[in-house]
Amino acid sequence: MIPNEEVRQILRSSVMTLLQQDLSSSDKAPVLRSFAVADGKALALGLTELLYQSISYYDYKEDFYHALIAGLWLGGGSTVTVKSNPEAGQGRPDVLVIDELNHNVLIIEIKLAADLDSLERRAQEGLEQIARDRYAFAFVKRYAVTCCALSFWKKECAAAFVRLNRQPGA
């Protein structure tokens, strides 16, 4: 348990610094491309490789995975807007990536799995949460929306996607 907000901010800052160093020294383009084309197998493989390269067994908390995913879009001249825990629909997705230039939105929900066998099921539960809490509701009129649920167990990852087309008349 983190004792107070000051310690929480220090930890987040440290994690983000570590991630920026690790991610800048690795080629994150294949991982970002996997998000763009909604390729769950390639994304899971790419994220699993990043995790094996970068994290300690002390890092198995949802906040860490959340920071990792949000941090993927930092630097490198990215023109997207990344929001952490924004209000959307009837809840708060973990990460929201908005690409105004191409009229795309990526909604990401992150889940922890209890064991390796529950990775895929937890990713599906993340997609169900995105649908149930209507995270895409405000976006489908203006954007092509990709919903992504990621499940993590230690250094392993599973990914599931659903794509929503922009509604006509927008």
Side-chain angles (χ1 to χ4, degrees):
M1 173 161 259
I2 299 172
N4 59 45
E5 189 59 32
E6 182 180 352
V7 173
R8 179 183 301 279
Q9 291 302 323
I10 291 169
L11 285 173
R12 282 192 179 173
S13 174
S14 299
V15 167
M16 291 309 293
T17 300
L18 171 67
L19 289 174
Q20 286 173 339
Q21 290 169 352
D22 282 349
L23 292 176
S24 65
S25 66
S26 67
D27 183 10
K28 62 185 179 179
V31 172
L32 294 176
R33 194 170 17 263
S34 296
F35 275 112
V37 299
D39 184 340
K41 290 185 189 240
L43 178 59
L45 179 62
L47 287 173
T48 296
E49 287 177 5
L50 277 176
L51 293 170
Y52 273 95
Q53 292 171 12
S54 63
I55 72 170
S56 158
Y57 63 88
Y58 290 113
D59 296 328
Y60 304 141
K61 303 284 187 212
E62 187 171 335
D63 285 350
F64 178 84
Y65 299 115
H66 185 125
L68 172 71
I69 299 307
L72 285 170
W73 281 274
L74 298 176
S78 178
T79 60
V80 299
T81 301
V82 179
K83 296 183 179 184
S84 177
N85 293 310
E87 186 173 323
Q90 298 175 5
R92 295 182 181 276
D94 288 310
V95 179
L96 184 66
V97 181
I98 302 170
D99 179 355
E100 291 285 351
L101 182 64
N102 296 302
H103 299 283
N104 293 314
V105 167
L106 175 62
I107 298 170
I108 303 171
E109 185 60 34
I110 298 169
K111 297 290 184 192
L112 293 180
D115 52 41
L116 189 58
D117 293 333
S118 64
L119 267 176
E120 297 291 335
R121 179 179 49 80
R122 292 291 288 157
Q124 289 303 315
E125 289 171 5
L127 285 180
E128 291 166 11
Q129 179 179 333
I130 291 169
R132 181 188 65 239
D133 292 345
R134 302 183 69 187
Y135 293 162
F137 181 79
F139 301 107
V140 293
K141 290 184 180 178
R142 294 185 46 218
Y143 301 94
V145 178
T146 301
C147 303
C148 175
L150 300 171
S151 173
F152 293 96
W153 179 74
K154 298 185 178 185
K155 297 182 183 187
E156 302 291 330
C157 176
F161 285 94
V162 170
R163 285 197 139 154
L164 307 173
N165 293 326
R166 201 169 85 159
Q167 293 178 349

